[in-house]
Amino acid sequence: MARKPIPTPPVPKISPIRQLKEVKKLSENELLLRTLIAEAEGEGTLGMALVARAILNRKEIIDSGTPVGKFNAKDKTIKGILLGDGQFQPVTGDYRVTEKITNAQKEKAKEALELAKNPRLLENALNETNLSNDEIKTYLNVTGFRTENAPADISQTVNNIKFKNHIFNTAGNKKRDLIEL
């Protein structure tokens, strides 16, 4: 009679408090790269760059004197923005940023971040997708986003524009004037 294989025991779930502690241990850059991967990896380099641009735009608005509370940020840092209450699902919601990532994923996220940091390069990449100047201006000035399936939020209805599975907005930057074409 053949022996039955012994089943592998389930991996114990980590409590949300412990997961948040793990998130907070990440360096600011590591947290940002992991956020781009968890939030938009399936949308390619350009999708991750748009997510990064939204985060960088929030930082610029806060640095210009807007209170951090405008975006529920913890403080003026990128990490403080990412840890804002209810702001980034992979960071403070389901903690996907703590999942293992590969070097290839990290390199793609770095490439997307570099693209986002240079508005002219990002503008050129958007131009290659046959968007209008008005659409490109909106993308360059985004400050927020949600996935297509996420519940709508009244605060996210300013200049909405869709890229793949994300609906971006310019809440906090209604005039779309951070970056000019």
Side-chain angles (χ1 to χ4, degrees), residues 121-170:
L121 286 179
L122 184 54
E123 180 183 347
N124 290 340
L126 289 166
N127 263 320
E128 291 175 12
T129 64
N130 296 316
L131 296 168
S132 71
N133 282 342
D134 193 58
E135 290 169 318
I136 291 170
K137 182 175 181 177
T138 300
Y139 279 124
L140 292 175
N141 285 281
V142 295
T143 56
F145 52 85
R146 64 181 172 82
T147 58
E148 189 173 43
N149 298 328
D153 179 332
I154 192 70
S155 71
Q156 298 177 345
T157 59
V158 182
N159 299 316
N160 283 357
I161 191 163
K162 188 172 187 262
F163 183 85
K164 295 191 180 181
N165 190 41
H166 279 84
I167 300 170
F168 290 88
N169 66 76
T170 64

Side-chain angles (χ1 to χ4, degrees), residues 12-152:
K13 292 207 174 212
I14 300 173
S15 75
I17 292 170
R18 175 116 187 260
Q19 285 181 311
L20 187 56
K21 284 181 181 179
E22 292 301 312
V23 169
K24 288 180 177 180
K25 285 181 188 177
L26 297 171
S27 72
E28 181 170 274
N29 192 59
E30 182 73 13
L31 179 57
L32 179 54
L33 294 174
R34 287 171 169 272
T35 300
L36 301 181
I37 293 165
E39 187 66 54
E41 180 182 27
E43 297 178 10
T45 303
L46 188 54
M48 288 192 290
L50 292 172
V51 167
R53 187 70 252 160
I55 296 163
L56 296 171
N57 284 344
R58 284 186 183 201
K59 171 96 171 96
E60 186 173 331
I61 290 169
I62 291 169
D63 285 348
S64 73
T66 298
V68 295
K70 178 89 171 176
F71 298 109
N72 289 343
K74 297 291 184 192
D75 58 47
K76 290 182 170 194
T77 66
I78 294 289
K79 192 169 186 175
I81 291 166
L82 293 172
L83 288 168
D85 294 331
Q87 296 302 297
F88 297 91
Q89 179 68 19
V91 179
T92 59
D94 58 24
Y95 309 105
R96 283 180 290 145
V97 294
T98 61
E99 293 175 359
K100 291 184 182 199
I101 60 171
T102 67
N103 286 336
Q105 288 174 301
K106 196 176 217 178
E107 289 306 312
K108 277 287 188 197
K110 285 179 181 178
E111 182 182 328
L113 181 56
E114 289 308 308
L115 181 60
K117 285 180 176 180
N118 186 326
R120 292 305 141 233
L121 286 179
L122 184 54
E123 180 183 347
N124 290 340
L126 289 166
N127 263 320
E128 291 175 12
T129 64
N130 296 316
L131 296 168
S132 71
N133 282 342
D134 193 58
E135 290 169 318
I136 291 170
K137 182 175 181 177
T138 300
Y139 279 124
L140 292 175
N141 285 281
V142 295
T143 56
F145 52 85
R146 64 181 172 82
T147 58
E148 189 173 43
N149 298 328

